[in-house]
Amino acid sequence: MNTTAASPMSTATSSSGRSAGKSVSFAAELQSMMFSLGDARRPLHETAVLVEDVVHTQLINLLQQAAEVSQLRGARVISAEDLLFLMRKDKKKLRRLLKYMFFRDYKSKIVKGIDDDDLLEDKSGGSNNSNKRQKIAQDFFNSIDQTGELLAMFEDDEIDDVKQERMERAERQTRIMDSAQYAEFCESRQLSFSKKASKFRDWLDCSSMEIKPNVIAMEILAYLAYETVAQLVDLALLVRQDMVTKAGDPFSHAISATFIQYHNSAEGSYMKSYPDSPENTPPPTPTAPPSGSQHSGKTASGSLGNGSAGQDSTKTKQRKRKKSTAACGVEAHSNAIQPCHIREAIRRYGHKIGPLSPFTSAYRRNGMAFLAC
């Protein structure tokens, strides 16, 4: 499967479907998702736009590969089997996807009003029509699995370390929240791409595709989109933690040159946005005393002294006010994930050597690893 993957590191949008879906944006929803995944309460809009571009590029490339697999097996639509085939080598993410498919079946049974006893019987049987997602995956793995390692995932109850870490981070995040903030956090955690199915389909421009994904395939794509956002936030938080200068750290000099370049440019743009900050304000130019006041030095100096003291106090208050405003802005910006954190996370993720190399995917196109599969 030879596909040309557009790099999300570039500012240009992907040529495959992005132009048609450009009017549809998930930037506002992504900001809420990023907050629920560990970002600041008000994530940066430019960061959300960059994350949206990365996720869109990943899913478009994934759809192209799934369409090729669907053509090879002579199908008319992209189905769950095509996506499962593409993810078969990444056992951790495949196990996570199978668990998601099980909970989707579980939810559909709850909605239909099936009680818990029948639910456990259906799970043990595994052949009921209400387990359609699990049955699709199980039948497909039966046809391609010769070693039994894929089928063993249905019985595997291993704890997901990534999910556990996200839950612990969410618990730490909610410790300092009041009731209003916690209510907003809970609403953000409930957001997903699957709850806006028609908008998600338009975002991927599925109407222009010759081989279109079916309903279950769209559910999987929506899940993978959310998982990609979560993984980007996970990696960006690691990057932000690494970039904090630690006293006595012998490895502090080994900061990536790519990150320094983006960080300096971001700081420069921020300082331009606050031209009246104390750091950018030049010292006042001294003015010469009037020539007529030389003969009455004490009186003039006394009156000038009182006036200058009042002006100095006013200027000092203004500077303190501006300084506190600028400090609040810097604090808000420093707490949020910056676009440079996302770019550096993608750079490290796509690098074959480094601390994040064990987490990279087996699928690589043009040197960039796929996050979704």
Side-chain angles (χ1 to χ4, degrees), residues 23-179:
S23 58
V24 183
S25 176
F26 275 96
E29 291 86 350
L30 282 171
Q31 285 180 290
S32 297
M33 292 180 192
M34 291 170 64
F35 165 55
S36 67
L37 291 168
D39 198 359
R41 188 181 180 188
R42 297 290 180 264
L44 298 179
H45 177 73
E46 52 268 27
T47 307
V49 170
L50 178 59
V51 170
E52 180 183 18
D53 188 55
V54 173
V55 175
H56 188 273
T57 304
Q58 296 278 306
L59 293 185
I60 289 297
N61 288 317
L62 182 61
L63 271 173
Q64 290 175 351
Q65 295 182 55
E68 292 181 6
V69 174
S70 180
Q71 282 181 335
L72 289 176
R73 64 187 185 91
R76 296 182 179 180
V77 294
I78 298 174
S79 60
E81 290 90 338
D82 305 315
L83 298 172
L84 290 171
F85 178 78
L86 292 175
M87 298 184 64
R88 69 192 186 281
K89 293 186 178 180
D90 197 332
K91 302 298 188 297
K92 290 185 178 180
K93 293 182 181 178
L94 184 59
R95 185 183 296 109
R96 203 174 297 159
L97 175 59
L98 292 176
K99 188 174 292 187
Y100 169 77
M101 295 174 73
F102 165 73
F103 280 110
R104 288 290 298 188
D105 288 336
Y106 189 95
K107 181 180 178 181
S108 63
K109 295 172 188 177
I110 295 296
V111 172
K112 290 178 182 178
I114 301 178
D115 56 12
D116 294 340
D117 295 336
D118 295 335
L119 195 64
L120 294 175
E121 292 176 4
D122 291 339
K123 183 181 176 182
S124 61
S127 60
N128 196 289
N129 189 30
S130 56
N131 284 334
K132 59 179 181 178
R133 296 171 184 83
Q134 279 186 291
K135 190 175 186 305
I136 288 173
Q138 203 161 11
D139 292 344
F140 177 67
F141 287 154
N142 271 324
S143 63
I144 67 169
D145 190 14
Q146 298 179 352
T147 61
E149 58 180 352
L150 296 178
L151 290 172
M153 293 185 182
F154 289 97
E155 306 297 332
D156 191 2
D157 294 332
E158 181 182 351
I159 297 176
D160 194 337
D161 295 335
V162 176
K163 293 285 188 181
Q164 186 71 21
E165 171 62 28
R166 290 174 188 169
M167 291 173 63
E168 292 176 359
R169 186 169 64 221
E171 195 275 330
R172 292 192 299 268
Q173 190 176 357
T174 54
R175 287 178 184 175
I176 58 175
M177 291 183 181
D178 55 20
S179 58

Side-chain angles (χ1 to χ4, degrees), residues 46 111 223 256 258 292 299 302 326:
E46 52 268 27
V111 172
Y223 165 77
S256 166
T258 308
T299 307

